[in-house]
Amino acid sequence: DTHADYYPEVQYYGGRVYGEMGDYPKALRHFQNALDKLPPETDQIILRRNVLNQMARLLDDLRLYKEAIPLVEQTLEINRRLNRPEDIVHDLHLLGHIYMHTEEYKKAERYFREAVKDSKDLNIYFRAKSQMLLAAAKSRLGDMDSALKLIRHTPDSVHPFTRCFALSYAADIYLAEGILDTAYAYAHELIYGKNRDNEATGYSVMLSPKMKSRISMEEREHY
């Protein structure tokens, strides 16, 4: 019985190792083995939550969005039951992120709006990231006034690791609204800043037809 108690945990860590190695099929197999031994009424509810979370994130990476959604929903339900505010916001972000990928922007907006509400008493990084993601959903829905209000000051408020994403969303939103100086500044940082994960967005903004009036032909040729 003692060995049986440890079996789900061993399978969970096996899944984590294979996930880090990039072997997603083996990782998912280990996670499923763990989940089979962790029914909803298990007394190892934290472990069940962790397994569900890791499975959902791997499925999201594999673009198996329909399979990931119910797992995140279960994780969210557990975190709400356990009253874990930060984990709740992480789950809401992930659900909204998945629905952005499936182009169900109204659903994404709903989860991001809920994240903004639930992060009001948390660290400023949580609130800023929630506002950033809600701005992205609003822009996809064509509500640019709301997107602009939400994204304002967000690049300076998010965690440094998230700044490049905030700059990317902000550059697109300010460009769409014709606020070219700010769009230029954000695009410039995306291209020349320390973190250049989203530099493609920077180039896209710089070379957009709207930016013709802001930068010279010589500068455009440089990009």
Side-chain angles (χ1 to χ4, degrees):
D1 290 343
T2 301
H3 290 303
D5 290 340
Y6 283 111
Y7 177 82
E9 188 172 4
V10 170
Q11 291 295 313
Y12 167 71
Y13 283 113
R16 291 295 301 268
V17 170
Y18 280 114
E20 290 293 329
M21 293 170 59
D23 191 338
Y24 284 13
K26 283 186 179 178
L28 287 169
R29 193 152 54 243
H30 278 277
F31 288 140
Q32 187 59 57
N33 288 341
L35 201 58
D36 289 343
K37 298 296 183 180
L38 296 167
E41 66 277 6
T42 181
D43 57 1
Q44 299 184 73
I45 194 64
I46 297 294
L47 181 57
R48 176 179 168 83
R49 182 205 62 184
N50 293 344
V51 172
L52 289 166
N53 179 267
Q54 290 299 313
M55 289 182 74
R57 292 184 182 278
L58 290 188
L59 290 169
D60 175 45
D61 285 347
L62 291 168
R63 301 182 182 181
L64 297 172
Y65 303 124
K66 290 183 179 179
E67 290 79 4
I69 287 169
L71 302 184
V72 188
E73 290 174 338
Q74 290 181 64
T75 307
L76 178 59
E77 189 277 327
I78 292 171
N79 283 323
R80 281 177 169 155
R81 192 178 352 138
L82 298 176
N83 191 27
R84 299 175 67 97
E86 293 186 2
D87 291 324
I88 289 169
V89 172
H90 282 308
D91 291 339
L92 293 169
H93 287 173
L94 182 54
L95 276 171
H97 164 80
I98 291 171
Y99 281 118
M100 289 288 281
H101 278 304
T102 61
E103 299 183 357
E104 297 176 81
Y105 301 125
K106 287 296 293 182
K107 288 184 178 179
E109 178 198 27
R110 176 162 59 90
Y111 285 113
F112 292 148
R113 190 169 60 246
E114 195 172 337
V116 170
K117 179 182 175 183
D118 287 355
S119 62
K120 67 181 187 299
D121 295 324
L122 299 179
N123 184 294
I124 188 174
Y125 293 149
F126 283 90
R127 186 165 65 255
K129 183 177 180 180
S130 299
Q131 290 176 334
M132 175 193 78
L133 293 170
L134 181 57
K138 290 285 190 182
S139 68
R140 292 301 182 113
L141 290 166
D143 185 356
M144 301 308 295
D145 286 344
S146 295
L148 189 61
K149 290 176 183 176
L150 286 160
I151 205 67
R152 189 173 288 124
H153 308 305
T154 298
D156 295 324
S157 302
V158 295
H159 191 282
F161 291 138
T162 310
R163 181 173 172 82
C164 66
F165 298 103
L167 289 169
S168 180
Y169 290 131
D172 277 337
I173 291 169
Y174 278 102
L175 179 68
E177 288 296 274
I179 307 173
L180 301 184
D181 285 350
T182 308
Y184 177 94
Y186 288 153
H188 189 274
E189 184 173 341
L190 285 169
I191 296 170
Y192 296 109
K194 292 180 180 179
N195 188 333
R196 296 165 66 180
D197 286 346
N198 283 347
E199 65 178 330
T201 299
Y203 284 113
S204 176
V205 170
M206 288 296 195
L207 297 173
S208 67
K210 283 188 176 183
M211 197 61 77
K212 280 185 178 180
S213 63
R214 172 61 179 77
I215 60 179
S216 66
M217 182 60 68
E218 292 81 3
E219 199 172 0
R220 290 180 67 83
E221 289 176 354
H222 172 73
Y223 293 117

